[in-house]
Amino acid sequence: MNGLINSIFVVDVAGSLPVSVQSVRAVPGKGLEGDRYYHKAGYWSHNGNLPRDVTLVDIETLERIEAEYNIAIEPGEHRRNIETKGIDLTALVGKKFQIGEITLQGIRVCEPCAHLVELTGKKQLLRGLVHSGLVAEILTDGVIHVGNQLK
């Protein structure tokens, strides 16, 4: 099962707009350099002890949401760090996987929250993202690039 990294987004301050980047350093136990969770400044930073190093969503889910709910999703509006293409992310829960040379561990499905609706005003986006995406823990240090293979 292989996929590709389609886009990468970081948000430096909770509630700010996501910024698209071509590459980002992934640091175990911290997250993506420059992202709000890396600096423990995210909306969910102080909620529990579960790792929240990086979040992923697949482009196929976003395309389905646009088609089913007839809404346009702006780049990064989903608030996930990494968009993938060609892989079922929910199948990676509980498994180790690679993005380029970096090893990650799938932790849990990345369920959307009401905070997403507060920021976007799009209830349909919340409904469409239910039971999709992935929260992962970074196990090895390195740089993630758009176009990297996910396997």
Side-chain angles (χ1 to χ4, degrees), residues 14-30:
S16 294
L17 294 173
V19 175
S20 176
V21 296
Q22 289 299 302
S23 61
V24 66
R25 176 162 295 286
V27 180
K30 299 246 337 167

Side-chain angles (χ1 to χ4, degrees), residues 95-133:
K95 297 180 181 168
K96 288 184 181 178
F97 62 96
Q98 300 285 131
I99 296 179
E101 299 301 317
I102 298 169
T103 304
L104 299 96
Q105 172 80 39
I107 301 297
R108 65 187 180 281
V109 171
C110 189
E111 297 292 1
C113 65
H115 184 60
L116 179 65
V117 175
E118 290 171 19
L119 293 172
T120 66
K122 296 179 180 179
K123 290 181 183 177
Q124 300 89 341
L125 183 57
L126 182 70
R127 284 187 220 124
L129 287 172
V130 170
H131 307 311
S132 69

Side-chain angles (χ1 to χ4, degrees), residues 9-151:
F9 298 93
V10 294
V11 178
D12 60 351
V13 178
S16 294
L17 294 173
V19 175
S20 176
V21 296
Q22 289 299 302
S23 61
V24 66
R25 176 162 295 286
V27 180
K30 299 246 337 167
L32 302 180
E33 252 181 25
D35 190 64
R36 64 213 184 273
Y37 288 101
Y38 181 89
H39 299 290
K40 305 287 186 226
Y43 186 80
W44 296 105
S45 288
H46 306 289
N47 186 6
N49 296 324
L50 291 174
R52 184 179 295 280
D53 293 352
V54 63
T55 56
L56 301 92
V57 65
D58 61 88
I59 194 75
E60 293 86 358
T61 294
L62 300 175
E63 290 169 349
R64 178 186 51 78
I65 292 169
E66 287 192 30
E68 283 182 21
Y69 297 104
N70 195 29
I71 60 169
I73 302 172
E74 299 301 319
E77 190 173 29
H78 45 70
R79 316 276 311 160
R80 305 298 182 251
N81 297 117
I82 296 176
E83 285 180 12
T84 64
K85 184 176 181 101
I87 192 162
D88 176 9
L89 295 171
T90 60
L92 299 175
V93 172
K95 297 180 181 168
K96 288 184 181 178
F97 62 96
Q98 300 285 131
I99 296 179
E101 299 301 317
I102 298 169
T103 304
L104 299 96
Q105 172 80 39
I107 301 297
R108 65 187 180 281
V109 171
C110 189
E111 297 292 1
C113 65
H115 184 60
L116 179 65
V117 175
E118 290 171 19
L119 293 172
T120 66
K122 296 179 180 179
K123 290 181 183 177
Q124 300 89 341
L125 183 57
L126 182 70
R127 284 187 220 124
L129 287 172
V130 170
H131 307 311
S132 69
L134 181 69
V135 175
E137 180 179 13
I138 299 165
L139 301 179
T140 60
D141 187 62
V143 178
I144 298 172
H145 302 275
V146 170
N148 275 156
Q149 197 171 55
L150 187 157
K151 54 185 174 178

